Amino acid sequence: EPEVTQTPSHQVTQMGQEVILRCVPISNHLYFYWYRQILGQKVEFLVSFYNNEISEKSEIFDDQFSVERPDGSNFTLKIRSTKLEDSAMYFCASSEGTANSYEQYFGPGTRLTVT
Amino acid sequence: AQSVAQPEDQVNVAEGNPLTVKCTYSVSGNPYLFWYVQYPNRGLQFLLKYITGDNLVKGSYGFEAEFNKSQTSFHLKKPSALVSDSALYFCAVRDPQDTGRRALTFGSGTRLQVQP
């Protein structure tokens, strides 16, 4: 069964450093998403991406964040200058994007620890 | 703005007994509703969804959920719990009235503990 994959599973970085989190969505899916889950808190939406551009973003997704689909398979989230409060589990998700598709399929997550 | 409430942080049930995990929602129109399950150190796995039609929807692993519009609820149920069902369960909503918005809004999660 196709699945969303994410690398790395765990990333440790120092405050102020840039990190890139990588995702490979399910191959025939058209919409891609990033969510995050701070330890013990809700899963929060960050951004959605369709047709090579951001289609929606939350107030969390400020100028330090960016997303990119550098090729036909990868989808990345870049955090330019990490802060302690960026420590969280980051989930990538994808959905088909057809008229009758509604559910999003999530990857296993990348645990980001900012020290 | 859309929101989801899961009023119970934890639900404990004995194996073989029926289980219910509660969820209520708030959206401007008719909602799209979802349940996801998260096992330790794993991502969110899709269980089931309600989009339209029959209020009782069936999903993976024997789970089902009932959409109740008057009570704005979408409770997750299973007739007979298994120890392996122990996990964190998230309810999520999407407001289809906002056509540009596909983001899911999640509840805070309910930890289900099934005792042998």
Side-chain angles (χ1 to χ4, degrees):
Chain A
E1 187 175 329
E3 56 183 20
V4 176
T5 60
Q6 291 185 242
T7 54
S9 57
H10 191 190
Q11 174 90 47
V12 181
T13 190
Q14 289 190 326
M15 195 168 51
Q17 296 298 303
E18 174 182 288
V19 294
I20 297 176
L21 310 183
R22 303 180 190 279
C23 167
V24 178
I26 295 173
S27 63
N28 64 335
H29 286 189
L30 301 179
Y31 280 85
F32 315 119
Y33 313 84
W34 284 101
Y35 291 80
R36 79 174 184 189
Q37 184 182 29
I38 295 173
L39 187 64
Q41 298 187 23
K42 290 185 181 186
V43 176
E44 302 173 291
F45 169 76
L46 293 178
V47 65
S48 63
F49 191 86
Y50 172 74
N51 200 25
N52 284 319
E53 60 183 23
I54 291 173
S55 55
E56 184 185 358
K57 61 183 181 178
S58 73
E59 61 274 9
I60 302 170
F61 193 86
D62 60 22
D63 290 344
Q64 71 164 335
F65 292 96
S66 62
V67 289
E68 189 178 29
R69 186 151 165 84
D71 53 42
S73 60
N74 290 282
F75 179 52
T76 62
L77 174 70
K78 182 191 289 186
I79 309 175
R80 289 192 185 82
S81 179
T82 51
K83 305 171 189 171
L84 294 176
E85 54 265 36
D86 294 327
S87 295
M89 182 73 91
Y90 287 81
F91 293 108
C92 175
S94 67
S95 63
E96 288 182 15
T98 57
N100 294 322
S101 71
Y102 305 96
E103 60 268 30
Q104 296 173 20
Y105 293 91
F106 285 74
T110 294
R111 181 170 298 284
L112 177 65
T113 302
V114 182
T115 61
Chain B
Q2 58 199 47
S3 65
V4 176
Q6 292 181 244
E8 303 154 316
D9 289 335
Q10 181 156 326
V11 169
N12 298 308
V13 64
E15 188 174 31
N17 283 359
L19 70 88
T20 299
V21 182
K22 295 180 180 177
C23 171
T24 58
Y25 66 88
S26 174
V27 297
S28 58
N30 294 318
Y32 293 164
L33 293 158
F34 307 84
W35 276 101
Y36 285 83
V37 60
Q38 185 180 32
Y39 296 99
N41 301 315
R42 301 285 297 276
L44 300 165
Q45 294 181 33
F46 169 73
L47 276 181
L48 52 78
K49 65 179 183 283
Y50 171 82
I51 304 301
T52 188
D54 195 345
N55 288 343
L56 184 66
V57 293
K58 295 185 183 296
S60 307
Y61 313 121
F63 283 93
E64 56 190 29
E66 186 167 11
F67 171 63
N68 187 317
K69 188 173 182 178
S70 63
Q71 297 185 3
T72 62
S73 67
F74 189 57
H75 301 332
L76 181 71
K77 301 182 180 185
K78 188 174 182 182
S80 179
L82 300 172
V83 172
S84 57
D85 292 330
S86 299
L88 191 55
Y89 290 81
F90 290 95
C91 182
V93 68
R94 176 187 153 195
D95 184 354
Q97 306 303 312
D98 188 347
T99 54
R101 181 174 169 81
R102 285 179 171 250
L104 297 179
T105 298
F106 284 86
S108 54
T110 298
R111 186 163 302 282
L112 174 67
Q113 199 72 38
V114 181
Q115 284 109 15

